Amino acid sequence: MLTGKKILLGVTGSIATYKTAYLIRELIKLEADVKVIMTSASTDFISPLTLSTLSKHPVAIDFIKNKNGEWENHVELGLWADLFIIAPATANTISKMAYGLCDNLLLASYLSARCPVWIAPAMDLDMFVHHTTKKNIQILEDHGVNIIEPTFGELASGLEGKGRMEEPEVIANQIDALLNQSSNLKGKKIIITGGPTYEAIDPVRFIGNYSSGKTGVILADECAKRGANVTLVLGPSNQKPKNSNIKVLRVNSAEEMFEAVKREWLQTDIGIFSAAVADYRVENISPKKIKKSSDSLTLNLVKNPDILLWTGQHKSNKQYLVGFALETDNEIENAQKKLVKKNLDLLILNSLNDKGAGFKHDTNKVTFVKPNNKLTHFELKPKTLMGIDIVNQIEKDLNE
Ligand code: C5P
């Protein structure tokens, strides 16, 4: 139920506005308090009277309420809401939101909202896949806006494709799940390592690996979504988290990553170490570019600090530690040994033998290894869903 929850519902000009009436009904059925802001274009599609009657509040459309000079306080509306959802969101409004335009009450309220913002796009299929729309949606995602993907089906144009606004019942359930979710990760300080490390050879060359950093970034976003206070120590990677509350510390080498982790660990509740840290570094980094004057070149490598091992050795019984392992043979046995050696609470084992798993891919297939020899095997799935599984497991373990 959404009893006592305040939902600000933005409506823009699309055929899908007829669904907004149903969305209000669904939210009211869940006992939410719903206030509606419409753009003037949306009033061509549905009457404000319908939406004010359903929501039991006057509908706000203009900056000025009436001719007596009373204004509609957009800041107040933005601060009032526990969630601001724009459904349907047209390509026009999405692009204005992405670039901070503020020429109507709905956009001004978006700019002053402090609550989570969701959009449910609705448009014709070609408009949805147009590169400007895609870019604008990406900008909004980067700003932390949650996108409710449109669905496939027949569109108002008569064409068939992706562009239909998600069904009101589904949206209402998603809102219910978000506003009622109370995670035990809320307020917890979590440090996550991600990406590869680059170990310099000379000013232009390095020893690295194929890690993309996707897993670390996904885990950081998932933990932040559940209210944790996340620090992501990220090696060289072109990935970045969506949630702007995440503190990102960019590092290059294993030693830099180690320094960042050591600085933070004492004040940290949970560590998740997904970085693919280079085991060795070059002993003497050449200050100048090495010339190809001789036929062979020998680099002397020395061992890097094992960051996870250090963290496990400095773990108090209030702290929780997760490591990753990529094994090619005797996987389970080696993983169990690693769990004990590094004093971990959870080890995520992924095998290079599985197709679609490991580096570079957007999917992974993992097994959770726990101290009591308990194993949980998962199917091959997108890394985003794997991230949810991992964070769910951490939540569950903290409860026990
Ligand atoms: O021992 P192995 O390298 O297989 O362990 C992998 C786990 O240890 C990963 O969680 C990785 O992030 C972490 N690790 C580390 N520092 C290293 C090597 C690995 O934190 N130098």
Side-chain angles (χ1 to χ4, degrees), residues 193-195 254 257-258 261 272-280 304-311 322-327 338 341-342 344 347-348:
T193 69
M257 188 172 274
F258 191 30
V261 169
I272 309 176
F273 285 65
S274 67
V277 185
D279 290 324
Y280 294 90
N304 263 331
D306 188 324
I307 309 168
L308 183 58
L309 180 69
W310 180 92
T311 314
V322 185
F324 281 68
L326 196 125
E327 303 285 339
K338 199 167 286 179
K341 185 178 166 210
K342 300 201 184 192
L344 307 179
L347 187 133
I348 318 295

PDB file of all heavy atoms in Angstrom, residues 193-195 254 257-258 261 272-280 304-311 322-327 338 341-342 344 347-348, ligand 1:
ATOM      1  N   THR A 193      35.474  -2.106  -5.212  1.00  0.00           N
ATOM      2  CA  THR A 193      36.544  -1.899  -6.197  1.00  0.00           C
ATOM      3  C   THR A 193      36.059  -2.465  -7.528  1.00  0.00           C
ATOM      4  O   THR A 193      35.299  -3.434  -7.564  1.00  0.00           O
ATOM      5  CB  THR A 193      37.874  -2.582  -5.794  1.00  0.00           C
ATOM      6  OG1 THR A 193      37.705  -4.004  -5.880  1.00  0.00           O
ATOM      7  CG2 THR A 193      38.322  -2.184  -4.403  1.00  0.00           C
ATOM      8  N   GLY A 194      36.492  -1.826  -8.604  1.00  0.00           N
ATOM      9  CA  GLY A 194      36.054  -2.302  -9.915  1.00  0.00           C
ATOM     10  C   GLY A 194      37.056  -1.963 -10.998  1.00  0.00           C
ATOM     11  O   GLY A 194      37.948  -1.129 -10.802  1.00  0.00           O
ATOM     12  N   GLY A 195      36.904  -2.649 -12.128  1.00  0.00           N
ATOM     13  CA  GLY A 195      37.748  -2.357 -13.295  1.00  0.00           C
ATOM     14  C   GLY A 195      39.101  -3.053 -13.245  1.00  0.00           C
ATOM     15  O   GLY A 195      39.389  -3.799 -12.307  1.00  0.00           O
ATOM     16  N   ALA A 254      47.490  -0.921  -9.031  1.00  0.00           N
ATOM     17  CA  ALA A 254      47.078  -1.681  -7.838  1.00  0.00           C
ATOM     18  C   ALA A 254      47.500  -0.936  -6.579  1.00  0.00           C
ATOM     19  O   ALA A 254      46.753  -0.896  -5.595  1.00  0.00           O
ATOM     20  CB  ALA A 254      47.736  -3.057  -7.867  1.00  0.00           C
ATOM     21  N   MET A 257      45.083   1.757  -5.884  1.00  0.00           N
ATOM     22  CA  MET A 257      43.818   1.186  -5.406  1.00  0.00           C
ATOM     23  C   MET A 257      43.957   0.794  -3.934  1.00  0.00           C
ATOM     24  O   MET A 257      43.072   1.049  -3.110  1.00  0.00           O
ATOM     25  CB  MET A 257      43.451  -0.024  -6.273  1.00  0.00           C
ATOM     26  CG  MET A 257      42.080  -0.580  -6.007  1.00  0.00           C
ATOM     27  SD  MET A 257      41.618  -1.853  -7.198  1.00  0.00           S
ATOM     28  CE  MET A 257      40.926  -0.908  -8.522  1.00  0.00           C
ATOM     29  N   PHE A 258      45.098   0.197  -3.613  1.00  0.00           N
ATOM     30  CA  PHE A 258      45.368  -0.245  -2.236  1.00  0.00           C
ATOM     31  C   PHE A 258      45.347   0.951  -1.273  1.00  0.00           C
ATOM     32  O   PHE A 258      44.731   0.901  -0.211  1.00  0.00           O
ATOM     33  CB  PHE A 258      46.736  -0.943  -2.212  1.00  0.00           C
ATOM     34  CG  PHE A 258      47.040  -1.676  -0.936  1.00  0.00           C
ATOM     35  CD1 PHE A 258      46.032  -2.239  -0.161  1.00  0.00           C
ATOM     36  CD2 PHE A 258      48.359  -1.820  -0.507  1.00  0.00           C
ATOM     37  CE1 PHE A 258      46.318  -2.926   1.013  1.00  0.00           C
ATOM     38  CE2 PHE A 258      48.654  -2.501   0.663  1.00  0.00           C
ATOM     39  CZ  PHE A 258      47.640  -3.047   1.424  1.00  0.00           C
ATOM     40  N   VAL A 261      41.785   2.091  -0.682  1.00  0.00           N
ATOM     41  CA  VAL A 261      41.033   1.150   0.162  1.00  0.00           C
ATOM     42  C   VAL A 261      41.483   1.272   1.620  1.00  0.00           C
ATOM     43  O   VAL A 261      40.656   1.326   2.536  1.00  0.00           O
ATOM     44  CB  VAL A 261      41.199  -0.300  -0.361  1.00  0.00           C
ATOM     45  CG1 VAL A 261      40.650  -1.306   0.645  1.00  0.00           C
ATOM     46  CG2 VAL A 261      40.505  -0.469  -1.709  1.00  0.00           C
ATOM     47  N   ILE A 272      33.163  -4.778  -1.225  1.00  0.00           N
ATOM     48  CA  ILE A 272      32.880  -5.679  -2.354  1.00  0.00           C
ATOM     49  C   ILE A 272      34.015  -5.478  -3.351  1.00  0.00           C
ATOM     50  O   ILE A 272      34.151  -4.406  -3.933  1.00  0.00           O
ATOM     51  CB  ILE A 272      31.513  -5.369  -3.016  1.00  0.00           C
ATOM     52  CG1 ILE A 272      30.396  -5.292  -1.980  1.00  0.00           C
ATOM     53  CG2 ILE A 272      31.200  -6.408  -4.081  1.00  0.00           C
ATOM     54  CD1 ILE A 272      29.032  -4.889  -2.557  1.00  0.00           C
ATOM     55  N   PHE A 273      34.822  -6.518  -3.524  1.00  0.00           N
ATOM     56  CA  PHE A 273      36.054  -6.355  -4.301  1.00  0.00           C
ATOM     57  C   PHE A 273      35.928  -7.069  -5.652  1.00  0.00           C
ATOM     58  O   PHE A 273      36.209  -8.257  -5.777  1.00  0.00           O
ATOM     59  CB  PHE A 273      37.240  -6.891  -3.493  1.00  0.00           C
ATOM     60  CG  PHE A 273      37.620  -5.944  -2.390  1.00  0.00           C
ATOM     61  CD1 PHE A 273      36.747  -5.681  -1.351  1.00  0.00           C
ATOM     62  CD2 PHE A 273      38.823  -5.272  -2.411  1.00  0.00           C
ATOM     63  CE1 PHE A 273      37.067  -4.774  -0.346  1.00  0.00           C
ATOM     64  CE2 PHE A 273      39.155  -4.369  -1.421  1.00  0.00           C
ATOM     65  CZ  PHE A 273      38.281  -4.120  -0.385  1.00  0.00           C
ATOM     66  N   SER A 274      35.484  -6.313  -6.653  1.00  0.00           N
ATOM     67  CA  SER A 274      35.276  -6.933  -7.966  1.00  0.00           C
ATOM     68  C   SER A 274      36.367  -6.548  -8.955  1.00  0.00           C
ATOM     69  O   SER A 274      36.327  -6.964 -10.107  1.00  0.00           O
ATOM     70  CB  SER A 274      33.899  -6.533  -8.514  1.00  0.00           C
ATOM     71  OG  SER A 274      33.865  -5.157  -8.805  1.00  0.00           O
ATOM     72  N   ALA A 275      37.350  -5.746  -8.516  1.00  0.00           N
ATOM     73  CA  ALA A 275      38.391  -5.308  -9.461  1.00  0.00           C
ATOM     74  C   ALA A 275      39.257  -6.482  -9.897  1.00  0.00           C
ATOM     75  O   ALA A 275      39.469  -7.433  -9.141  1.00  0.00           O
ATOM     76  CB  ALA A 275      39.259  -4.245  -8.804  1.00  0.00           C
ATOM     77  N   ALA A 276      39.712  -6.411 -11.139  1.00  0.00           N
ATOM     78  CA  ALA A 276      40.683  -7.397 -11.638  1.00  0.00           C
ATOM     79  C   ALA A 276      42.060  -6.759 -11.461  1.00  0.00           C
ATOM     80  O   ALA A 276      42.559  -6.053 -12.334  1.00  0.00           O
ATOM     81  CB  ALA A 276      40.411  -7.708 -13.100  1.00  0.00           C
ATOM     82  N   VAL A 277      42.603  -6.992 -10.276  1.00  0.00           N
ATOM     83  CA  VAL A 277      43.861  -6.312  -9.914  1.00  0.00           C
ATOM     84  C   VAL A 277      45.039  -7.083 -10.506  1.00  0.00           C
ATOM     85  O   VAL A 277      45.093  -8.308 -10.401  1.00  0.00           O
ATOM     86  CB  VAL A 277      43.996  -6.268  -8.372  1.00  0.00           C
ATOM     87  CG1 VAL A 277      45.222  -5.470  -7.963  1.00  0.00           C
ATOM     88  CG2 VAL A 277      42.744  -5.696  -7.736  1.00  0.00           C
ATOM     89  N   ALA A 278      45.980  -6.372 -11.112  1.00  0.00           N
ATOM     90  CA  ALA A 278      47.165  -7.051 -11.654  1.00  0.00           C
ATOM     91  C   ALA A 278      47.971  -7.626 -10.495  1.00  0.00           C
ATOM     92  O   ALA A 278      48.178  -6.953  -9.484  1.00  0.00           O
ATOM     93  CB  ALA A 278      48.015  -6.049 -12.426  1.00  0.00           C
ATOM     94  N   ASP A 279      48.390  -8.879 -10.641  1.00  0.00           N
ATOM     95  CA  ASP A 279      49.126  -9.505  -9.547  1.00  0.00           C
ATOM     96  C   ASP A 279      50.560  -8.990  -9.461  1.00  0.00           C
ATOM     97  O   ASP A 279      51.170  -9.030  -8.398  1.00  0.00           O
ATOM     98  CB  ASP A 279      49.121 -11.037  -9.736  1.00  0.00           C
ATOM     99  CG  ASP A 279      47.722 -11.596  -9.501  1.00  0.00           C
ATOM    100  OD1 ASP A 279      47.029 -11.068  -8.615  1.00  0.00           O
ATOM    101  OD2 ASP A 279      47.312 -12.533 -10.223  1.00  0.00           O
ATOM    102  N   TYR A 280      51.087  -8.540 -10.600  1.00  0.00           N
ATOM    103  CA  TYR A 280      52.486  -8.072 -10.608  1.00  0.00           C
ATOM    104  C   TYR A 280      52.584  -6.686 -11.232  1.00  0.00           C
ATOM    105  O   TYR A 280      51.761  -6.297 -12.058  1.00  0.00           O
ATOM    106  CB  TYR A 280      53.358  -9.034 -11.432  1.00  0.00           C
ATOM    107  CG  TYR A 280      53.467 -10.400 -10.798  1.00  0.00           C
ATOM    108  CD1 TYR A 280      52.544 -11.410 -11.113  1.00  0.00           C
ATOM    109  CD2 TYR A 280      54.471 -10.674  -9.874  1.00  0.00           C
ATOM    110  CE1 TYR A 280      52.626 -12.654 -10.522  1.00  0.00           C
ATOM    111  CE2 TYR A 280      54.564 -11.925  -9.274  1.00  0.00           C
ATOM    112  CZ  TYR A 280      53.630 -12.905  -9.603  1.00  0.00           C
ATOM    113  OH  TYR A 280      53.717 -14.134  -9.009  1.00  0.00           O
ATOM    114  N   ASN A 304      52.305  -7.389  -6.554  1.00  0.00           N
ATOM    115  CA  ASN A 304      51.477  -6.302  -6.062  1.00  0.00           C
ATOM    116  C   ASN A 304      50.871  -6.693  -4.716  1.00  0.00           C
ATOM    117  O   ASN A 304      50.720  -7.882  -4.428  1.00  0.00           O
ATOM    118  CB  ASN A 304      50.326  -6.030  -7.044  1.00  0.00           C
ATOM    119  CG  ASN A 304      50.639  -4.891  -7.974  1.00  0.00           C
ATOM    120  OD1 ASN A 304      51.382  -3.981  -7.636  1.00  0.00           O
ATOM    121  ND2 ASN A 304      50.063  -4.945  -9.166  1.00  0.00           N
ATOM    122  N   PRO A 305      50.468  -5.707  -3.922  1.00  0.00           N
ATOM    123  CA  PRO A 305      49.760  -6.074  -2.680  1.00  0.00           C
ATOM    124  C   PRO A 305      48.435  -6.745  -3.026  1.00  0.00           C
ATOM    125  O   PRO A 305      47.801  -6.377  -4.009  1.00  0.00           O
ATOM    126  CB  PRO A 305      49.510  -4.714  -2.013  1.00  0.00           C
ATOM    127  CG  PRO A 305      49.636  -3.704  -3.110  1.00  0.00           C
ATOM    128  CD  PRO A 305      50.578  -4.272  -4.124  1.00  0.00           C
ATOM    129  N   ASP A 306      48.061  -7.766  -2.238  1.00  0.00           N
ATOM    130  CA  ASP A 306      46.733  -8.359  -2.416  1.00  0.00           C
ATOM    131  C   ASP A 306      45.776  -7.547  -1.537  1.00  0.00           C
ATOM    132  O   ASP A 306      45.759  -7.701  -0.314  1.00  0.00           O
ATOM    133  CB  ASP A 306      46.750  -9.844  -2.019  1.00  0.00           C
ATOM    134  CG  ASP A 306      45.432 -10.522  -2.387  1.00  0.00           C
ATOM    135  OD1 ASP A 306      44.373  -9.864  -2.271  1.00  0.00           O
ATOM    136  OD2 ASP A 306      45.461 -11.700  -2.783  1.00  0.00           O
ATOM    137  N   ILE A 307      45.021  -6.683  -2.171  1.00  0.00           N
ATOM    138  CA  ILE A 307      44.188  -5.712  -1.442  1.00  0.00           C
ATOM    139  C   ILE A 307      43.125  -6.432  -0.621  1.00  0.00           C
ATOM    140  O   ILE A 307      42.871  -6.120   0.537  1.00  0.00           O
ATOM    141  CB  ILE A 307      43.539  -4.726  -2.438  1.00  0.00           C
ATOM    142  CG1 ILE A 307      44.614  -4.137  -3.359  1.00  0.00           C
ATOM    143  CG2 ILE A 307      42.793  -3.624  -1.700  1.00  0.00           C
ATOM    144  CD1 ILE A 307      44.065  -3.386  -4.556  1.00  0.00           C
ATOM    145  N   LEU A 308      42.511  -7.438  -1.253  1.00  0.00           N
ATOM    146  CA  LEU A 308      41.436  -8.171  -0.582  1.00  0.00           C
ATOM    147  C   LEU A 308      41.973  -8.950   0.615  1.00  0.00           C
ATOM    148  O   LEU A 308      41.337  -8.987   1.675  1.00  0.00           O
ATOM    149  CB  LEU A 308      40.763  -9.106  -1.594  1.00  0.00           C
ATOM    150  CG  LEU A 308      39.574  -9.902  -1.101  1.00  0.00           C
ATOM    151  CD1 LEU A 308      38.456  -9.006  -0.579  1.00  0.00           C
ATOM    152  CD2 LEU A 308      39.023 -10.790  -2.210  1.00  0.00           C
ATOM    153  N   LEU A 309      43.166  -9.542   0.446  1.00  0.00           N
ATOM    154  CA  LEU A 309      43.774 -10.304   1.547  1.00  0.00           C
ATOM    155  C   LEU A 309      44.019  -9.367   2.738  1.00  0.00           C
ATOM    156  O   LEU A 309      43.678  -9.681   3.879  1.00  0.00           O
ATOM    157  CB  LEU A 309      45.085 -10.929   1.064  1.00  0.00           C
ATOM    158  CG  LEU A 309      45.847 -11.760   2.090  1.00  0.00           C
ATOM    159  CD1 LEU A 309      45.093 -13.044   2.409  1.00  0.00           C
ATOM    160  CD2 LEU A 309      47.245 -12.100   1.585  1.00  0.00           C
ATOM    161  N   TRP A 310      44.582  -8.190   2.449  1.00  0.00           N
ATOM    162  CA  TRP A 310      44.842  -7.201   3.522  1.00  0.00           C
ATOM    163  C   TRP A 310      43.524  -6.828   4.215  1.00  0.00           C
ATOM    164  O   TRP A 310      43.446  -6.774   5.442  1.00  0.00           O
ATOM    165  CB  TRP A 310      45.497  -5.945   2.913  1.00  0.00           C
ATOM    166  CG  TRP A 310      45.793  -4.891   3.943  1.00  0.00           C
ATOM    167  CD1 TRP A 310      46.943  -4.727   4.649  1.00  0.00           C
ATOM    168  CD2 TRP A 310      44.888  -3.862   4.404  1.00  0.00           C
ATOM    169  NE1 TRP A 310      46.820  -3.663   5.517  1.00  0.00           N
ATOM    170  CE2 TRP A 310      45.566  -3.114   5.387  1.00  0.00           C
ATOM    171  CE3 TRP A 310      43.579  -3.496   4.083  1.00  0.00           C
ATOM    172  CZ2 TRP A 310      44.983  -2.027   6.047  1.00  0.00           C
ATOM    173  CZ3 TRP A 310      42.989  -2.423   4.745  1.00  0.00           C
ATOM    174  CH2 TRP A 310      43.694  -1.698   5.712  1.00  0.00           C
ATOM    175  N   THR A 311      42.493  -6.609   3.412  1.00  0.00           N
ATOM    176  CA  THR A 311      41.214  -6.171   3.973  1.00  0.00           C
ATOM    177  C   THR A 311      40.629  -7.265   4.871  1.00  0.00           C
ATOM    178  O   THR A 311      40.130  -6.985   5.957  1.00  0.00           O
ATOM    179  CB  THR A 311      40.238  -5.800   2.832  1.00  0.00           C
ATOM    180  OG1 THR A 311      40.932  -4.993   1.905  1.00  0.00           O
ATOM    181  CG2 THR A 311      39.045  -5.026   3.338  1.00  0.00           C
ATOM    182  N   VAL A 322      33.139  -9.210   0.565  1.00  0.00           N
ATOM    183  CA  VAL A 322      32.829 -10.024  -0.621  1.00  0.00           C
ATOM    184  C   VAL A 322      34.002  -9.973  -1.592  1.00  0.00           C
ATOM    185  O   VAL A 322      34.515  -8.892  -1.902  1.00  0.00           O
ATOM    186  CB  VAL A 322      31.593  -9.459  -1.376  1.00  0.00           C
ATOM    187  CG1 VAL A 322      31.200 -10.375  -2.532  1.00  0.00           C
ATOM    188  CG2 VAL A 322      30.435  -9.230  -0.437  1.00  0.00           C
ATOM    189  N   GLY A 323      34.420 -11.140  -2.063  1.00  0.00           N
ATOM    190  CA  GLY A 323      35.478 -11.194  -3.080  1.00  0.00           C
ATOM    191  C   GLY A 323      34.974 -11.904  -4.324  1.00  0.00           C
ATOM    192  O   GLY A 323      33.923 -12.557  -4.307  1.00  0.00           O
ATOM    193  N   PHE A 324      35.719 -11.777  -5.387  1.00  0.00           N
ATOM    194  CA  PHE A 324      35.395 -12.443  -6.643  1.00  0.00           C
ATOM    195  C   PHE A 324      36.530 -13.393  -6.998  1.00  0.00           C
ATOM    196  O   PHE A 324      37.670 -13.141  -6.632  1.00  0.00           O
ATOM    197  CB  PHE A 324      35.238 -11.424  -7.779  1.00  0.00           C
ATOM    198  CG  PHE A 324      33.910 -10.721  -7.774  1.00  0.00           C
ATOM    199  CD1 PHE A 324      33.584  -9.838  -6.757  1.00  0.00           C
ATOM    200  CD2 PHE A 324      32.987 -10.955  -8.782  1.00  0.00           C
ATOM    201  CE1 PHE A 324      32.354  -9.198  -6.741  1.00  0.00           C
ATOM    202  CE2 PHE A 324      31.757 -10.321  -8.780  1.00  0.00           C
ATOM    203  CZ  PHE A 324      31.444  -9.441  -7.754  1.00  0.00           C
ATOM    204  N   ALA A 325      36.226 -14.441  -7.711  1.00  0.00           N
ATOM    205  CA  ALA A 325      37.297 -15.319  -8.172  1.00  0.00           C
ATOM    206  C   ALA A 325      36.971 -15.814  -9.565  1.00  0.00           C
ATOM    207  O   ALA A 325      35.816 -16.110  -9.877  1.00  0.00           O
ATOM    208  CB  ALA A 325      37.450 -16.493  -7.220  1.00  0.00           C
ATOM    209  N   LEU A 326      37.974 -15.822 -10.377  1.00  0.00           N
ATOM    210  CA  LEU A 326      37.821 -16.337 -11.726  1.00  0.00           C
ATOM    211  C   LEU A 326      38.762 -17.535 -11.823  1.00  0.00           C
ATOM    212  O   LEU A 326      39.983 -17.377 -11.774  1.00  0.00           O
ATOM    213  CB  LEU A 326      38.244 -15.236 -12.707  1.00  0.00           C
ATOM    214  CG  LEU A 326      37.799 -15.447 -14.128  1.00  0.00           C
ATOM    215  CD1 LEU A 326      37.033 -14.220 -14.570  1.00  0.00           C
ATOM    216  CD2 LEU A 326      38.984 -15.633 -15.044  1.00  0.00           C
ATOM    217  N   GLU A 327      38.210 -18.728 -11.863  1.00  0.00           N
ATOM    218  CA  GLU A 327      39.035 -19.938 -11.830  1.00  0.00           C
ATOM    219  C   GLU A 327      38.871 -20.715 -13.129  1.00  0.00           C
ATOM    220  O   GLU A 327      37.810 -20.655 -13.758  1.00  0.00           O
ATOM    221  CB  GLU A 327      38.608 -20.838 -10.655  1.00  0.00           C
ATOM    222  CG  GLU A 327      38.670 -20.166  -9.297  1.00  0.00           C
ATOM    223  CD  GLU A 327      40.084 -20.001  -8.777  1.00  0.00           C
ATOM    224  OE1 GLU A 327      40.986 -20.742  -9.243  1.00  0.00           O
ATOM    225  OE2 GLU A 327      40.301 -19.123  -7.925  1.00  0.00           O
ATOM    226  N   LYS A 338      40.085 -19.987  -1.168  1.00  0.00           N
ATOM    227  CA  LYS A 338      40.264 -18.529  -1.236  1.00  0.00           C
ATOM    228  C   LYS A 338      39.379 -17.810  -0.222  1.00  0.00           C
ATOM    229  O   LYS A 338      39.788 -16.855   0.415  1.00  0.00           O
ATOM    230  CB  LYS A 338      39.939 -18.057  -2.666  1.00  0.00           C
ATOM    231  CG  LYS A 338      40.501 -16.703  -2.992  1.00  0.00           C
ATOM    232  CD  LYS A 338      40.461 -16.396  -4.458  1.00  0.00           C
ATOM    233  CE  LYS A 338      41.522 -17.164  -5.225  1.00  0.00           C
ATOM    234  NZ  LYS A 338      41.493 -16.895  -6.657  1.00  0.00           N
ATOM    235  N   LYS A 341      41.168 -18.255   3.100  1.00  0.00           N
ATOM    236  CA  LYS A 341      42.442 -17.526   3.149  1.00  0.00           C
ATOM    237  C   LYS A 341      42.225 -16.018   3.255  1.00  0.00           C
ATOM    238  O   LYS A 341      42.911 -15.328   4.006  1.00  0.00           O
ATOM    239  CB  LYS A 341      43.239 -17.860   1.880  1.00  0.00           C
ATOM    240  CG  LYS A 341      44.623 -17.258   1.871  1.00  0.00           C
ATOM    241  CD  LYS A 341      45.400 -17.655   0.633  1.00  0.00           C
ATOM    242  CE  LYS A 341      46.633 -16.766   0.501  1.00  0.00           C
ATOM    243  NZ  LYS A 341      47.028 -16.573  -0.872  1.00  0.00           N
ATOM    244  N   LYS A 342      41.222 -15.523   2.520  1.00  0.00           N
ATOM    245  CA  LYS A 342      41.023 -14.067   2.509  1.00  0.00           C
ATOM    246  C   LYS A 342      39.968 -13.610   3.525  1.00  0.00           C
ATOM    247  O   LYS A 342      39.585 -12.458   3.545  1.00  0.00           O
ATOM    248  CB  LYS A 342      40.657 -13.604   1.092  1.00  0.00           C
ATOM    249  CG  LYS A 342      41.754 -13.949   0.062  1.00  0.00           C
ATOM    250  CD  LYS A 342      41.688 -13.101  -1.186  1.00  0.00           C
ATOM    251  CE  LYS A 342      42.735 -13.556  -2.205  1.00  0.00           C
ATOM    252  NZ  LYS A 342      42.926 -12.638  -3.312  1.00  0.00           N
ATOM    253  N   LEU A 344      36.668 -14.172   3.882  1.00  0.00           N
ATOM    254  CA  LEU A 344      35.520 -13.556   3.218  1.00  0.00           C
ATOM    255  C   LEU A 344      34.207 -14.081   3.791  1.00  0.00           C
ATOM    256  O   LEU A 344      34.141 -15.201   4.307  1.00  0.00           O
ATOM    257  CB  LEU A 344      35.548 -13.854   1.716  1.00  0.00           C
ATOM    258  CG  LEU A 344      36.832 -13.509   0.967  1.00  0.00           C
ATOM    259  CD1 LEU A 344      36.699 -13.887  -0.503  1.00  0.00           C
ATOM    260  CD2 LEU A 344      37.141 -12.027   1.095  1.00  0.00           C
ATOM    261  N   LEU A 347      31.971 -15.308  -1.568  1.00  0.00           N
ATOM    262  CA  LEU A 347      32.847 -15.264  -2.734  1.00  0.00           C
ATOM    263  C   LEU A 347      32.022 -15.541  -3.988  1.00  0.00           C
ATOM    264  O   LEU A 347      31.215 -16.471  -4.013  1.00  0.00           O
ATOM    265  CB  LEU A 347      33.968 -16.302  -2.599  1.00  0.00           C
ATOM    266  CG  LEU A 347      35.013 -16.192  -3.708  1.00  0.00           C
ATOM    267  CD1 LEU A 347      36.422 -16.219  -3.156  1.00  0.00           C
ATOM    268  CD2 LEU A 347      34.851 -17.290  -4.729  1.00  0.00           C
ATOM    269  N   ILE A 348      32.177 -14.685  -4.979  1.00  0.00           N
ATOM    270  CA  ILE A 348      31.443 -14.851  -6.234  1.00  0.00           C
ATOM    271  C   ILE A 348      32.391 -15.515  -7.218  1.00  0.00           C
ATOM    272  O   ILE A 348      33.378 -14.904  -7.648  1.00  0.00           O
ATOM    273  CB  ILE A 348      30.984 -13.482  -6.809  1.00  0.00           C
ATOM    274  CG1 ILE A 348      30.441 -12.543  -5.716  1.00  0.00           C
ATOM    275  CG2 ILE A 348      30.003 -13.677  -7.960  1.00  0.00           C
ATOM    276  CD1 ILE A 348      29.196 -12.991  -5.021  1.00  0.00           C
TER     277      ILE A 348
HETATM  278  O1  C5P B   1      43.492 -14.351  -5.517  1.00  0.00           O
HETATM  279  P1  C5P B   1      42.697 -13.821  -6.655  1.00  0.00           P
HETATM  280  O2  C5P B   1      43.419 -12.733  -7.414  1.00  0.00           O
HETATM  281  O3  C5P B   1      42.085 -14.837  -7.539  1.00  0.00           O
HETATM  282  O4  C5P B   1      41.435 -13.126  -5.916  1.00  0.00           O
HETATM  283  C1  C5P B   1      40.514 -12.374  -6.607  1.00  0.00           C
HETATM  284  C2  C5P B   1      39.864 -11.450  -5.646  1.00  0.00           C
HETATM  285  O5  C5P B   1      40.871 -10.716  -4.936  1.00  0.00           O
HETATM  286  C3  C5P B   1      39.018 -10.393  -6.327  1.00  0.00           C
HETATM  287  O6  C5P B   1      37.956 -10.066  -5.454  1.00  0.00           O
HETATM  288  C4  C5P B   1      39.982  -9.226  -6.498  1.00  0.00           C
HETATM  289  O7  C5P B   1      39.301  -7.992  -6.545  1.00  0.00           O
HETATM  290  C5  C5P B   1      40.851  -9.345  -5.259  1.00  0.00           C
HETATM  291  N1  C5P B   1      42.263  -8.935  -5.444  1.00  0.00           N
HETATM  292  C6  C5P B   1      42.753  -7.834  -4.782  1.00  0.00           C
HETATM  293  N2  C5P B   1      44.075  -7.488  -4.898  1.00  0.00           N
HETATM  294  C7  C5P B   1      44.914  -8.223  -5.663  1.00  0.00           C
HETATM  295  C8  C5P B   1      44.429  -9.358  -6.354  1.00  0.00           C
HETATM  296  C9  C5P B   1      43.092  -9.687  -6.223  1.00  0.00           C
HETATM  297  O8  C5P B   1      41.982  -7.147  -4.109  1.00  0.00           O
HETATM  298  N3  C5P B   1      46.185  -7.877  -5.770  1.00  0.00           N
END
